[in-house]
């Protein structure tokens, strides 16, 4: 690429970032609406209690409540008895700044849990404390909560998604400039062959 081509690509990349940021934001909020099952972890490392939290479809309320067992599917809003208004959220804190990490010495020493911990400060001095099931969910929730407050999404996952999506869109725009036709629908799947005799059978033993 010539220097002018590189400059044009960089300018186009910058123009694409707001559009891609909005796409990532909507994906994060959609995931919060689906909800996540969290473990209740104590200093004694008992992990047999669970709770569920999800965002309302209008993005105004977080519904949460205890559940009997680890859930693989969505829990209905009316089954979750507690709620926090998004308008009442004052801040989101992470890691060692979370009250449940400060209060329990054994947890504070656990680096893995520190990297998955986050808390919502709401009303005046009340906290809703989380330990994400994995790093991916941690990024989804902290990004989503920041987006709800109109703040920047700063997780490693957002940075990775941003780079991937902007690069893909950039390549598509450049293909379009080169008059390469990009089909609007995928090509049809070809018919199956009449025979599979051309496939080597590894189950047969040859002498």
């Amino acid at each position: 690429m010539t220097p002018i081509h590189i400059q044009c690509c960089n300018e186009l990349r910058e123009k694409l970032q707001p559009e891609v940021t909005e796409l990532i934001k909507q994906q994060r909020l959609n995931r919060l609406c689906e909800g996540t099952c969290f473990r209740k972890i104590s200093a004694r490392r008992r992990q047999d209690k669970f709770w569920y939290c999800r965002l309302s479809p209008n993005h105004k309320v977080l519904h949460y409540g205890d559940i009997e067992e680890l859930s693989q599917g969505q829990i209905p809003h009316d089954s979750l008895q507690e709620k926090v208004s998004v308008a009442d959220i004052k801040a989101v804190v992470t890691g060692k700044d979370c009250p449940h990490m400060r209060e329990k010495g054994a947890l504070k020493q656990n680096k893995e849990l520190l990297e998955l911990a986050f808390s919502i400060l709401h009303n005046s001095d009340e906290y809703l404390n989380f330990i994400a099931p994995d790093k991916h969910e941690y990024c989804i929730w902290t990004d989503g909560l920041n987006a709800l407050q109109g703040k920047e999404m700063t997780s490693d996952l957002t940075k990775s998604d941003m780079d991937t999506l902007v690069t893909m869109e950039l390549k598509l725009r450049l293909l379009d400039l080169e008059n390469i036709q990009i089909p609007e629908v995928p090509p049809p799947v070809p018919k199956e062959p009449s025979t599979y005799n051309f496939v080597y059978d590894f189950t047969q033993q040859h002498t």
Side-chain angles (χ1 to χ4, degrees):
M1 273 190 179
T2 64
I4 192 169
H5 285 147
I6 294 174
Q7 181 182 350
C8 290
C9 286
N10 289 336
E11 290 176 357
L12 180 55
R13 181 180 289 271
E14 288 182 7
K15 289 181 179 180
L16 290 172
Q17 285 183 355
E19 178 182 334
V20 173
T21 298
E22 183 62 26
L23 181 65
I24 294 173
K25 173 185 173 181
Q26 292 305 317
Q27 189 273 340
R28 300 294 191 264
L29 295 178
N30 287 341
R31 278 289 295 110
L32 265 60
C33 289
E34 293 173 9
T36 301
C37 181
F38 298 93
R39 290 183 182 273
K40 286 188 172 183
I41 301 180
S42 70
R44 296 180 180 180
R45 297 187 179 181
R46 290 179 58 84
Q47 300 186 357
D48 54 354
K49 293 184 178 180
F50 306 93
W51 66 290
Y52 199 89
C53 186
R54 62 182 300 187
L55 179 66
S56 62
N58 62 8
H59 300 168
K60 292 184 177 181
V61 179
L62 284 171
H63 297 268
Y64 67 97
D66 294 342
I67 55 177
E68 294 297 324
E69 58 185 10
L70 181 64
S71 173
Q72 301 298 330
Q74 294 184 21
I75 303 295
H77 292 101
D78 53 11
S79 299
L80 304 171
Q81 302 302 317
E82 305 292 335
K83 63 182 180 180
V84 171
S85 173
V86 170
D88 291 335
I89 297 177
K90 306 302 181 186
V92 176
V93 295
T94 60
K96 62 183 180 181
D97 294 325
C98 298
H100 57 318
M101 293 292 104
R102 295 198 305 264
E103 294 168 359
K104 299 171 181 176
L107 294 182
K108 188 164 61 176
Q109 302 302 320
N110 190 322
K111 183 180 178 181
E112 181 180 351
L113 290 185
L114 274 175
E115 293 178 347
L116 299 176
F118 61 99
S119 300
I120 296 173
L121 170 62
H122 59 99
N123 294 323
S124 55
D125 58 353
E126 297 181 53
Y127 282 92
L128 185 60
N129 299 317
F130 300 76
I131 299 231
D134 52 49
K135 190 66 176 178
H136 183 270
E137 286 296 307
Y138 171 87
C139 292
I140 291 290
W141 274 85
T142 53
D143 280 343
L145 292 170
N146 280 329
L148 285 172
Q149 298 179 87
K151 297 181 179 179
E152 185 179 359
M153 299 177 292
T154 58
S155 75
D156 292 339
L157 182 61
T158 286
K159 294 174 185 175
S160 175
D161 287 349
M162 175 69 73
D163 183 64
T164 299
L165 293 172
V166 168
T167 299
M168 288 175 58
E169 185 64 24
L170 185 62
K171 289 179 178 179
L172 289 173
R173 299 281 180 99
L174 292 176
L175 286 176
D176 192 41
L177 289 175
E178 294 175 4
N179 292 322
I180 296 177
Q181 295 296 320
I182 303 173
E184 295 182 0
V185 295
V189 178
K191 295 181 180 180
E192 292 188 10
S194 58
T195 175
Y196 287 90
N197 290 338
F198 58 87
V199 178
Y200 183 79
D201 188 354
F202 287 94
T203 64
Q204 293 183 0
Q205 295 184 354
H206 298 277
T207 57

